[in-house]
Amino acid sequence: MASVRAVLNGNATDAEARLLDNIVVVKQSNAATTLGGTIDSTKQYFIDGSIDMSGITVTVPSTGIFLAGYNLDLSELTCSDNTYTMFSGGTAGNVFMQDLSLEVTGTGSQVFNLTNGSGFSAVEFVRVNFNNCSAIGELNGYRQGLETGTGRFGGTPEMTLSGTWLGGYFIDTSIVRSLTDGGYTLYKAGTGFTMNSRFRTNQNIDLPANASFFDFAPSNFVNPSTVQVSGALVSRNGIFNAADSNITPNISQADLVSAWDSNIGMPNTFEGGKLTVSSENQTNIAAGSTYYTLNAIWSASSLEHFDSPSAGQLRHLGNSPREYKCTINFVIESTANNDIGIRLRKWDNSASSFVNFTERRRDVNSFVGGRDVAIFNFSFNVNLDQNDYVYFQVRNNSGNQNLTLELDSDWLLEER
């Protein structure tokens, strides 16, 4: 930065001048021939001041473009033309921007309309503000995106992600404020959008009345737990409401692709599930000291990244996390003084075999009023990989007397 100022001031040393051989200084007087001309991807384009880009569109070549400035206040590209695009390219390469602001305010205008020519290029915005933009526009088929220290202030700054992204989009340290109201979203799925890696954000956002944070569907993401919202702060007109369904209208924290945690003003994902006895069924014991599936009519609830493929079973659909705590609250009715044992049984999908956990045993107590029950209240840890499932078995170690798991008994799995 010091070298750039030295050249602009006419007092650069020879060494500084040589270092700047790869820098094109863009001023208002030469914007049409530098940014509006053929981009030299071996050069960095340095934005010297506030430049009006009216009538000038930057065509990004397949070899990419690299822009930098002094800072967010001193270096900016602006345009108020209607139906205008600032950066376009049907076979565009890398787009790297640093320490500058972009302002595109015309009706039907946008900052970007870029399709990556190789599918392996990146867009990176480091300390870049989008001020009063009508739209940020479309990025199609890039490998990955990165935002660090970005801001969206005013306007309706909708960004559309289209095509196949082999990597992800990572947003770190970003703020959104003073937006114009409207039915748009900050990040939107465009035509044919799929992302093979993660969309990750921790943004500090205040939305107007009708705008959304992101409008993705679970089908846009190939892998579980890759829509990652962690430590975000999301309000609407200054009010936090995690039950606001228009923040993410087509995806929820419970979807398999979601991994949301430590957020304020947005829901958080709690991987796990719960089964509760909604109707009692007797478990018939044909032979003593023999395990049988614990019988009941089960009601499933709080299923996030889990389902219940058969009665009494919880199955892990995701691949992260894999460490869970299992908590049991069972009341089992049987014959007084019988020794009842229960155990968790896991289907290990990768090994195509069952794993039996340690038996827990309780005596059937004879309570006042003729109620004879064994009470199980405990918790333990279990590792579950994708498509592993678990359920409970029971046996009577004292004979072949039948037993019944009582109404409202329950067990749950939760991330630990």
Side-chain angles (χ1 to χ4, degrees):
M1 194 69 68
S3 297
V4 173
R5 291 194 181 100
V7 168
L8 295 177
N9 293 331
N11 58 3
T13 66
D14 289 341
E16 287 173 327
R18 286 195 298 273
L19 288 172
L20 292 175
D21 284 345
N22 292 326
I23 292 180
V24 175
V25 178
V26 181
K27 299 172 174 287
Q28 186 66 65
S29 59
N30 69 357
T33 56
T34 54
L35 292 179
T38 300
I39 296 298
D40 184 348
S41 302
T42 68
K43 310 291 187 183
Q44 181 189 82
Y45 288 77
F46 186 86
I47 309 305
D48 178 27
S50 179
I51 297 173
D52 185 349
M53 295 285 287
S54 294
I56 303 171
T57 291
V58 183
T59 300
V60 179
S62 60
T63 45
I65 189 170
F66 312 94
L67 297 96
Y70 293 118
N71 57 49
L72 298 169
D73 292 328
L74 295 180
S75 297
E76 63 178 348
L77 302 176
T78 70
C79 186
S80 59
D81 293 350
N82 295 330
T83 61
Y84 165 80
T85 298
M86 184 172 283
F87 296 89
S88 70
T91 57
N94 293 317
V95 177
F96 296 153
M97 297 184 179
Q98 180 175 318
D99 294 312
L100 54 87
S101 294
L102 304 171
E103 184 169 327
V104 175
T105 59
T107 301
S109 296
Q110 59 188 351
V111 179
F112 302 113
N113 184 13
L114 298 173
T115 297
N116 182 220
S118 67
F120 291 95
S121 300
V123 289
E124 295 188 6
F125 309 122
V126 180
R127 294 182 299 277
V128 174
N129 278 351
F130 298 93
N131 296 327
N132 303 307
C133 291
S134 303
I136 294 178
E138 184 172 8
L139 300 172
N140 188 335
Y142 275 83
R143 183 186 76 249
Q144 64 187 41
L146 172 66
E147 294 186 26
T148 304
T150 59
R152 288 162 170 78
F153 300 104
T156 56
E158 182 173 78
M159 175 184 283
T160 301
L161 305 180
S162 302
T164 299
W165 287 60
L166 298 177
Y169 200 100
F170 191 107
I171 307 155
D172 188 32
T173 315
S174 180
I175 190 167
V176 180
R177 287 291 184 275
S178 303
L179 302 185
T180 301
D181 192 24
Y184 63 93
T185 183
L186 295 180
Y187 300 92
K188 175 184 177 182
T191 303
F193 173 58
T194 57
M195 184 164 279
N196 289 0
S197 188
R198 64 179 176 173
F199 177 89
R200 192 270 189 191
T201 176
N202 63 358
Q203 283 171 288
N204 183 339
I205 297 171
D206 186 54
L207 295 169
N210 296 291
S212 301
F213 182 4
F214 53 81
D215 190 4
F216 300 136
S219 59
N220 296 132
F221 294 86
V222 174
N223 296 304
S225 301
T226 49
V227 182
Q228 300 177 355
V229 186
S230 181
L233 193 72
V234 182
S235 59
R236 190 181 296 282
N237 290 328
I239 297 173
F240 297 102
N241 178 12
D244 183 345
S245 61
N246 195 38
I247 292 176
T248 59
N250 288 312
I251 197 168
S252 78
Q253 84 286 349
D255 286 314
L256 182 60
V257 298
S258 299
W260 304 358
D261 69 276
S262 304
N263 299 305
I264 297 174
M266 281 189 66
N268 293 296
T269 305
F270 295 96
E271 290 93 341
K274 182 179 181 180
L275 293 178
T276 303
V277 177
S278 57
S279 181
E280 296 177 356
N281 269 356
Q282 182 173 273
T283 301
N284 295 316
I285 305 297
S289 300
T290 302
Y291 279 109
Y292 298 90
T293 299
L294 189 55
N295 193 20
I297 303 298
W298 299 95
S299 176
S301 60
S302 302
L303 295 177
E304 298 190 3
H305 296 202
F306 278 80
D307 69 356
S308 182
S310 295
Q313 296 179 359
L314 287 175
R315 178 172 58 185
H316 187 204
L317 302 176
N319 52 21
S320 180
R322 64 189 302 268
E323 299 84 11
Y324 292 88
K325 181 173 75 171
C326 183
T327 303
I328 296 94
N329 298 288
F330 287 168
V331 179
I332 297 177
E333 182 182 16
S334 190
T335 303
N337 300 317
N338 277 188
D339 175 359
I340 304 299
I342 65 171
R343 72 178 182 189
L344 186 75
R345 197 173 204 216
K346 180 177 86 170
W347 169 254
D348 186 333
N349 193 66
S350 62
S352 298
S353 62
F354 284 103
V355 177
N356 297 317
F357 284 67
T358 302
E359 180 185 47
R360 302 293 182 97
R361 301 169 71 164
R362 299 289 186 272
D363 288 338
V364 177
N365 299 289
S366 183
F367 292 101
V368 174
R371 186 162 178 262
D372 301 328
V373 294
I375 299 173
F376 296 84
N377 296 113
F378 59 92
S379 64
F380 58 93
N381 298 326
V382 56
N383 288 344
L384 297 172
D385 294 315
Q386 193 168 36
N387 292 320
D388 290 354
Y389 66 85
V390 287
Y391 63 98
F392 277 93
Q393 293 183 313
V394 64
R395 68 178 179 179
N396 190 336
N397 294 307
S398 300
N400 64 351
Q401 292 82 8
N402 298 327
L403 51 88
T404 301
L405 182 62
E406 290 196 345
L407 187 69
D408 295 328
S409 293
D410 61 52
W411 66 283
L412 64 94
L413 292 170
E414 57 186 335
E415 178 188 358
R416 63 180 174 90

